[in-house]
Amino acid sequence: MDNERIDGLTMDIEAADRDKLKAVFPQCFTDGRLDIDKLLNLCGEYISDDFEKYEFRWKGKTEALQLAGKRSTGTLRPCREDSVNWDETQNIYIEGDNLEVLKLLQTSYFRKVKMIYIDPPYNTGNDFVYADDFADPLARYKEVTQQTTKSNPETMGRFHTNWLNMMYPRLRLAANLLRDDGVIFISIDDGEVHNLRKICDEIFGEENFVTLMIWHCRQNKDNRNISGASIDHEYVLCYTKQPGWRVLRGTNRKTEQYKNPDNDPRGPWASANMVGLATADARPNLHYDLIQPETGINYGCPAKGWRYDKNTMKRLVDEGRILWPDSPEGRPRKKAFLNELDDNLPGYSSILAEGMYTNTGTKEIAALFDGHFFDFPKPSLLIKQLVSQATDKDDIILDFFSGSATTAHAVMQLNAEDGGNRRFILVQLPEVCDEKSEAFKAGYPNICEIGKARIRKAGEKIKADSPLTTGELDTGFRVFKLDSSNLNLWDGSPIRGYGEDAEEELYQRLLDHLEILKSDRQSEDVVFEVMLKLGQDLCEVAQPLDVNGKMVYGVGAEVKFIVCLADDIQPEDASAMAEYAPGRIVFADSCFSSTEQKSNVRLTLKDKGITIKTL
């Protein structure tokens, strides 16, 4: 019988990886524990007495890794009132600590994200709101939302350590969400770029490093630096998930020079250089005399040879691809056809410029809000270029340090321009705005309120600017907020007090645990928690269904499964639910008044090939 209970914990990532390893290498496990020596030996690696090796270590690294694997007791609660076009949109905005949210997204979005862009907090030594609490991450999250933050001054002696401990577990979890052909871009400055490169080498693989782009971010010179240097640049670090993919596509090649003066049936062409780049000592196979077959004119060999060896050059000659000068002093060139460019795109420059300055992003925000509501936002053009390079029209883009929601703005703008249906998932900690700030005075108490307002305003502007091309443009978003599980988990913390007080607290805990669902939560809260646990997209339809006068929820347009929280479920109710042909039905224990009633429902559904799970 399938009676697997859905608990209030996220996917056990470590157990899942351990099971995969055990399935492939069972001989490397002794008494259920991994024998690392056996695994290394099986892979041809043998332990020596010399344990010195190149590695990047810092205080707290092991705990940071454990933190990534620690199961979350949180969930994401839907917030329809803050959302835009809830029923139709495929975009998601999540308020919460991104470490907990990334854990919650593991089952539903494992290897489904094509591109991640993040602009994490630069290590400036100011308030550091991402100081994680291993013992109780959700309690720490609540502290942050009340602005009880911790600082990270350089005098602490752990200036770099704290930043690394913050980034390491988040990147570990983010890597799980990337598709095999996925790519991640990370904005960073000089302060931590060297350390970020090292942890990304470890998490994504040194061989998967793509490039370190230089972003020309400052338009005007900065005279404040005592050294006299004006730091006019930042970086965008780029890694792919696996080697072998073309991550960057390059800019559009100019095609005005492609003509067809000789009416070549292969179409327009341009004259292309064939002179090589290597000396005869380096590439002797590229050094030979080139002779026109019909006239016998010998054009000799350039000092750096040709770009093609003799066999390739002969094929080009036979195909009529060579342009022969009349004089032997001339240089033969190749016909390059316009219709061949798709397989030979130009490279994408590692220098990001073209007016994408920090003050461009500031002006962009100011134009939408009519005020200065956010410091140092990235310009949407910067992120739009990266999205256009790394994604196709139906891909998912994730940003878990979303700030003012520039990534959402960029995705919507690009979709409007090329007709794409790209989706965004944004995650942002609801950091409290300073009461003296313009944003707070304008009615935006935290950064999330600014981000959601920006998406609304940007969507309206994009549609207004391009009314003929944005009829199907998705500018909506579903809002979810991080909270504790909707299920009453057993409180295993030490009981405070002694005697009758201790007995009373224990008795209350037992009473609370008897009710598996929290009394202050709505049915829809529970439905979306089940969707997360069962790996469903958070934009799936969750529609109420009337079954014999009892309300249940069908998940998915074709009802992939049903969530039932109604009381007194009888076998005839189960039969009615089975008419929707769900793969499974999830029941709360409170749906049944007795064990016998539950067994009868189970048998009814088993006969129809439907399994059940319980809360």
Side-chain angles (χ1 to χ4, degrees):
M1 290 189 300
D2 180 10
N3 188 28
E4 180 183 347
R5 183 175 292 276
I6 297 177
D7 59 26
L9 300 173
T10 55
M11 171 184 174
D12 190 337
I13 301 171
E14 294 174 341
D17 288 340
R18 187 168 56 249
D19 290 343
K20 293 175 188 176
L21 193 60
K22 193 172 184 178
V24 179
F25 301 115
Q27 66 270 44
C28 297
F29 286 79
T30 305
D31 295 330
R33 296 180 63 85
L34 174 64
D35 188 325
I36 191 66
D37 290 351
K38 288 183 179 180
L39 180 62
L40 288 172
N41 293 345
L42 202 63
C43 297
E45 301 283 345
Y46 299 94
I47 301 295
S48 65
D49 293 333
D50 183 8
F51 287 98
E52 293 183 1
K53 61 180 180 180
Y54 176 79
E55 59 181 335
F56 183 41
R57 300 199 62 82
W58 65 89
K59 184 175 178 58
K61 181 179 181 180
T62 300
E63 289 79 3
L65 183 57
Q66 292 174 347
L67 190 59
K70 182 179 174 64
R71 300 175 72 185
S72 175
T73 58
T75 191
L76 300 177
R77 299 179 64 186
C79 182
R80 285 178 176 265
E81 58 269 26
D82 284 3
S83 304
V84 174
N85 196 19
W86 174 279
D87 292 327
E88 305 296 334
T89 187
Q90 295 295 303
N91 300 317
I92 297 171
Y93 187 96
I94 303 173
E95 296 185 27
D97 174 13
N98 52 19
L99 180 62
E100 294 300 293
V101 172
L102 287 169
K103 293 177 184 180
L104 292 167
L105 297 179
Q106 292 295 307
T107 307
S108 294
Y109 296 96
F110 180 74
R111 291 189 176 179
K112 292 182 179 179
V113 174
K114 178 60 184 297
M115 171 183 158
I116 296 174
Y117 170 81
I118 56 172
D119 180 18
Y122 295 174
N123 203 356
T124 62
N126 296 322
D127 283 348
F128 199 64
V129 297
Y130 289 92
D132 302 312
D133 187 327
F134 187 93
D136 194 344
L138 282 177
R140 169 61 187 162
Y141 166 62
K142 291 178 180 178
E143 288 180 9
V144 170
T145 59
Q146 297 169 9
Q147 209 174 17
T148 54
T149 58
K150 299 177 182 178
S151 60
N152 186 36
E154 295 186 58
T155 53
M156 286 177 61
R158 296 184 60 182
F159 181 70
H160 296 292
T161 296
N162 288 345
W163 190 86
L164 288 167
N165 285 334
M166 180 273 293
M167 289 295 295
Y168 191 66
R170 289 165 172 81
L171 289 175
R172 292 277 300 200
L173 291 167
N176 293 336
L177 302 179
L178 276 180
R179 286 169 23 180
D180 289 342
D181 61 344
V183 58
I184 183 169
F185 298 96
I186 308 174
S187 285
I188 198 66
D189 67 353
D190 283 314
E192 296 291 353
V193 64
H194 51 300
N195 286 330
L196 180 62
R197 177 82 181 267
K198 290 177 183 177
I199 59 174
C200 284
D201 280 348
E202 181 173 323
I203 292 170
F204 298 100
E206 188 175 356
E207 69 279 7
N208 292 329
F209 168 73
V210 176
T211 184
L212 180 64
M213 300 179 185
I214 299 174
W215 172 41
H216 184 195
C217 62
R218 182 181 294 279
Q219 184 174 18
N220 301 312
K221 299 302 179 184
D222 184 2
N223 299 317
R224 296 171 296 176
N225 195 321
I226 192 172
S227 69
S230 176
I231 308 301
D232 299 336
H233 71 281
E234 292 179 9
Y235 305 95
V236 178
L237 185 60
C238 179
Y239 279 77
T240 188
K241 184 69 177 290
Q242 290 184 357
W245 304 98
R246 176 158 188 156
V247 175
L248 304 173
R249 298 167 177 169
T251 54
N252 293 329
R253 190 190 297 270
K254 295 180 179 180
T255 59
E256 294 82 2
Q257 73 271 31
Y258 290 86
K259 311 291 183 182
N260 197 2
D262 57 353
N263 295 317
D264 193 309
R266 292 168 289 190
W269 53 270
S271 168
N273 180 31
M274 295 196 303
V275 174
L277 300 172
T279 64
D281 291 338
R283 296 292 299 276
N285 64 320
L286 300 180
H287 287 257
Y288 53 87
D289 285 349
L290 181 58
I291 300 173
Q292 184 182 17
E294 295 180 1
T295 64
I297 295 177
N298 185 344
Y299 298 94
C301 178
K304 292 294 182 70
W306 303 102
R307 293 196 177 189
Y308 312 105
D309 60 24
K310 285 185 176 181
N311 291 332
T312 303
M313 188 68 81
K314 181 178 184 304
R315 176 176 60 80
L316 293 173
V317 171
D318 293 342
E319 293 175 354
R321 298 283 296 270
I322 305 301
L323 301 169
W324 303 103
D326 294 332
S327 167
E329 286 75 27
R331 188 72 71 202
R333 294 172 67 85
K334 183 186 77 169
K335 274 187 175 183
F337 290 94
L338 180 61
N339 59 19
E340 297 174 332
L341 291 183
D342 287 343
D343 296 326
N344 187 29
L345 290 171
Y348 185 70
S349 175
S350 62
I351 308 297
L352 300 170
E354 300 181 10
M356 298 180 289
Y357 303 115
T358 299
N359 64 4
T360 305
T362 302
K363 293 175 182 177
E364 202 168 33
I365 293 279
L368 289 173
F369 286 90
D370 193 23
H372 181 83
F373 289 173
F374 199 88
D375 293 327
F376 312 116
K378 294 294 185 290
S380 62
L381 179 59
L382 170 67
I383 302 176
K384 189 182 76 169
Q385 279 203 14
L386 299 178
V387 174
S388 69
Q389 286 294 307
T391 70
D392 293 318
K393 293 184 178 182
D394 295 309
D395 288 337
I396 298 176
I397 297 95
L398 168 66
D399 182 347
F400 53 90
F401 286 99
S402 70
S404 65
T406 305
T407 296
H409 191 160
V411 170
M412 292 188 298
Q413 183 65 54
L414 182 59
N415 282 342
E417 293 174 5
D418 69 4
N421 296 299
R422 298 172 187 84
R423 304 171 52 190
F424 61 76
I425 302 175
L426 266 55
V427 185
Q428 176 57 41
L429 189 74
E431 298 176 50
V432 179
C433 295
D434 190 304
E435 294 184 2
K436 298 178 181 179
S437 67
E438 287 188 40
F440 188 90
K441 293 175 182 177
Y444 300 102
N446 61 58
I447 291 178
C448 288
E449 297 305 319
I450 298 174
K452 289 180 291 186
R454 196 239 180 108
I455 302 174
R456 298 184 193 106
K457 292 175 181 291
E460 292 171 359
K461 184 177 187 302
I462 291 169
K463 285 188 172 182
D465 290 347
S466 308
L468 299 180
T469 60
T470 58
E472 302 299 323
L473 180 65
D474 184 0
T475 59
F477 55 97
R478 286 188 174 186
V479 175
F480 293 87
K481 297 186 179 184
L482 177 66
D483 207 332
S484 59
S485 173
N486 301 291
L487 309 181
N488 272 319
L489 306 179
W490 174 251
D491 184 356
S493 62
I495 293 178
R496 300 179 296 274
Y498 301 93
E500 292 184 1
D501 290 341
E503 291 179 5
E504 179 63 27
E505 183 171 346
L506 177 59
Y507 179 68
Q508 189 59 50
R509 289 188 187 186
L510 289 169
L511 286 179
D512 291 342
H513 198 59
L514 289 176
E515 292 293 333
I516 197 66
L517 301 179
K518 293 179 178 177
S519 59
D520 62 339
R521 302 299 171 89
Q522 304 300 314
S523 296
E524 194 173 48
D525 294 332
V526 180
V527 171
F528 276 96
E529 180 162 1
V530 173
M531 289 171 62
L532 276 174
K533 298 296 190 294
L534 297 185
Q536 299 302 305
D537 193 307
L538 287 174
C539 286
E540 281 277 18
V541 175
Q543 54 186 325
L545 305 172
D546 188 325
V547 176
N548 295 341
K550 298 171 182 177
M551 187 67 70
V552 301
Y553 289 84
V555 176
E558 299 180 354
V559 188
K560 298 177 182 178
F561 63 88
I562 287 175
V563 180
C564 177
L565 307 175
D567 295 333
D568 193 30
I569 295 298
Q570 301 292 333
E572 55 268 27
D573 300 323
S575 295
M577 294 181 211
E579 294 297 321
Y580 290 96
R584 67 183 65 174
I585 301 177
V586 180
F587 294 98
D589 270 343
S590 59
C591 294
F592 311 104
S593 59
S594 68
T595 303
E596 181 182 5
Q597 185 179 352
K598 183 176 181 180
S599 296
N600 290 336
V601 167
R602 181 192 304 280
L603 290 172
T604 299
L605 293 172
K606 183 179 180 181
D607 291 341
K608 299 178 182 298
I610 299 173
T611 59
I612 77 169
K613 290 183 177 291
T614 56
L615 296 170

